[in-house]
């Protein structure tokens, strides 16, 4: 029986473990979290109390236990550790360190994107000091973000010099890098393009649209759906250059997801990308609406199962008869979790899969994700009905008695995307 080590307990860790178990693979989860705070440890065959950053201890333990594969869920740090650990152990890995650095470093990514002919937003690279010359040259509005962070960490939207100065200081407080990106702000539709890779070739899979509740921050993309009205536009204008970008970065296997946006004139731009099961906000429900399991594909890469170009030929249907959806549960208030209500009721629906990232007593931060509810539906109207049920049923209450969840109810925006 093969053994696989899963680093951390975030993103799609549990989905990876479940798929490994179905293949009769012995599963091990590790990080420094106690058992009661780790869903991964509770469902794995074995768990270790070794930090995912302690590569020396992990390497020694893997050699002692004859571990055959290493993988991580959606955590940039843990993905990097899994790449380094697999290299030390001589185990299969879908990605090497050079490629991963190009994916996660926003400056390198945008340089390679331009070389590949992919449009990216105009930017200004600002170092430790924000000079008067910087301020003179920057055209507002802009978005400020650290080069090396993900999941919206350190992002600010700025319309004035004062806001830019504050945003620069905020981003600098979170990053280890000296450079900060100040980028042209796009105000159009946000979406992500999924690609499946084998033998260095990429096959377009589908688009996923990100929607925010009106009045809430744009980066709180609460609703994510495979319903979209512009797949053919994307394929005609951007697909070929994005495939070239993936080749130049060095992506050869696994799942890649390129985050894109439109501007007010409907021009398409690439913003950044992820190269892992981090792209699986929709992969779980997509497996229900189309006969392709992206999380299993990524697991197979770790297990040394080689995919072929021929297998990509069946990934050629990108407008599905049914809809894949996910609702990210963002907090609109800070506080301490006092009640988690309705999740047991929602879990009884056969088309729902959910994950909670918080427990009773946890401290929550404003605009951070607290969980995700994934569901597949027959059509847009059924998706709207499911959202109604979720909005009425699910509540996360803080110790001040406040419901902290941002609710998504912009059904008109969903209907605009559903033009089948």
């Amino acid at each position: 029986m093969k053994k696989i080590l899963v680093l951390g307990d975030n993103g799609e860790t549990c989905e990876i473990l479940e798929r490994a178990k179905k293949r009769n693979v012995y599963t091990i989860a590790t990080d420094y979290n106690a058992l009661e705070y780790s869903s991964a440890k509770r469902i794995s065959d074995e768990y270790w109390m070794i930090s995912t950053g302690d590569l020396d201890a992990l390497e020694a333990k893997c050699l002692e236990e004859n571990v055959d594969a290493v993988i991580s869920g959606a955590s940039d740090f843990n993905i990097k550790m899994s790449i380094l650990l697999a290299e030390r152990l001589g185990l299969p890995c879908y990605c090497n360190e050079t490629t991963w650095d190009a994916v996660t470093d926003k400056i390198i990514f945008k340089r390679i994107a331009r070389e590949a002919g992919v449009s990216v937003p105009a930017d200004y690279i600002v170092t430790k000091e924000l000079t008067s010359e910087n301020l003179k040259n920057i055209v507002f509005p802009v978005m400020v973000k650290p080069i090396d962070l993900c999941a919206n960490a350190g992002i600010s939207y700025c319309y004035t010099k004062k806001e830019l100065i504050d945003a620069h200081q905020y981003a600098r407080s979170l990053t280890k890098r000296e450079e900060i990106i100040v980028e042209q702000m796009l105000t159009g539709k946000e979406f992500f393009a999924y690609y499946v890779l084998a033998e260095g070739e990429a096959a377009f899979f589908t688009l996923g649209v990100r929607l925010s509740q009106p009045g809430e921050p744009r980066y709180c993309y609460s609703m994510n759906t495979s319903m979209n009205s512009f797949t053919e536009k994307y394929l005609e204008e951007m697909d070929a250059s994005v495939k070239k970008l993936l080749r130049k970065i060095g992506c050869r296997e696994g799942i890649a997801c390129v985050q894109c946006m439109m501007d007010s004139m409907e021009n398409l731009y690439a913003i950044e990308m992820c190269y892992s099961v981090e792209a699986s906000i929709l992969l779980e429900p997509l497996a229900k609406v189309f006969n392709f399991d992206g999380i299993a594909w990524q697991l197979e890469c770790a297990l040394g199962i080689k995919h072929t170009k021929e297998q990509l030929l069946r990934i050629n249907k990108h407008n599905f008869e049914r809809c894949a959806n996910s609702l990210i549960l963002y907090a609109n208030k800070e506080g301490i979790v006092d009640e988690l209500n309705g999740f047991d009721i929602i879990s009884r629906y056969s088309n729902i899969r959910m994950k909670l990232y918080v427990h009773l007593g946890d401290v929550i931060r404003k605009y951070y994700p607290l969980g995700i509810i994934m569901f597949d539906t027959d059509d847009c109207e059924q998706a709207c009905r499911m959202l109604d049920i979720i909005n009425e049923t699910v509540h996360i209450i803080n110790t001040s008695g406040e419901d902290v969840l941002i609710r998504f109810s912009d059904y008109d925006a969903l209907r605009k995307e559903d033009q089948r």
Side-chain angles (χ1 to χ4, degrees), residues 249-304:
I249 284 180
C251 302
R252 295 190 53 81
E253 300 179 275
I255 303 291
C257 175
V258 180
Q259 180 181 344
C260 306
M261 284 192 74
M262 288 184 184
D263 65 12
S264 57
M265 302 298 291
E266 295 194 351
N267 298 308
L268 303 178
Y269 298 83
I271 307 298
E272 53 190 74
M273 68 172 285
C274 54
Y275 185 28
S276 68
V277 286
E278 184 178 9
S280 69
I281 289 174
L282 284 179
L283 285 183
E284 180 77 14
L286 275 170
K288 302 289 184 64
V289 304
F290 181 60
N291 188 27
F292 173 74
D293 188 336
I295 298 174
W297 186 275
Q298 194 81 12
L299 171 65
E300 288 166 356
C301 292
L303 292 172

Side-chain angles (χ1 to χ4, degrees), residues 334-339 359-364 397-400 404:
E334 298 179 348
I336 298 173
V337 178
D338 191 48
E339 297 179 34
H359 310 81
L360 294 177
D362 283 356
V363 176
I364 54 178
I397 310 297
N398 64 18
T399 50
S400 298
V404 302

Side-chain angles (χ1 to χ4, degrees), residues 56 99 142 172 182 245 258 263 267 284 302 321 356:
D56 291 338
T99 294
V142 293
R172 287 280 309 133
V182 180
L245 163 65
V258 180
D263 65 12
N267 298 308
E284 180 77 14
E321 294 178 1
L356 270 176

Side-chain angles (χ1 to χ4, degrees), residues 89-157:
L89 296 168
L91 297 178
C93 189
Y94 73 99
C95 181
N96 60 41
E97 187 177 3
T98 300
T99 294
W100 182 249
D101 288 343
V103 167
T104 54
D105 186 304
K106 295 176 176 62
I107 292 178
I108 298 175
F109 170 78
K110 293 183 77 172
R111 174 179 58 78
I112 297 175
R114 290 187 178 103
E115 292 172 357
V118 177
S119 296
V120 294
D123 59 28
Y124 316 83
I125 306 303
V126 178
T127 53
K128 185 177 295 185
E129 300 298 329
L130 185 60
T131 66
S132 57
E133 190 67 20
N134 293 145
L135 293 171
K136 177 182 175 181
N137 293 329
I138 289 171
V139 178
F140 291 91
V142 293
M143 179 170 64
V144 178
K145 55 186 178 182
I147 287 171
D148 56 342
L149 300 182
C150 62
N152 300 316
I155 286 181
S156 301
Y157 296 96

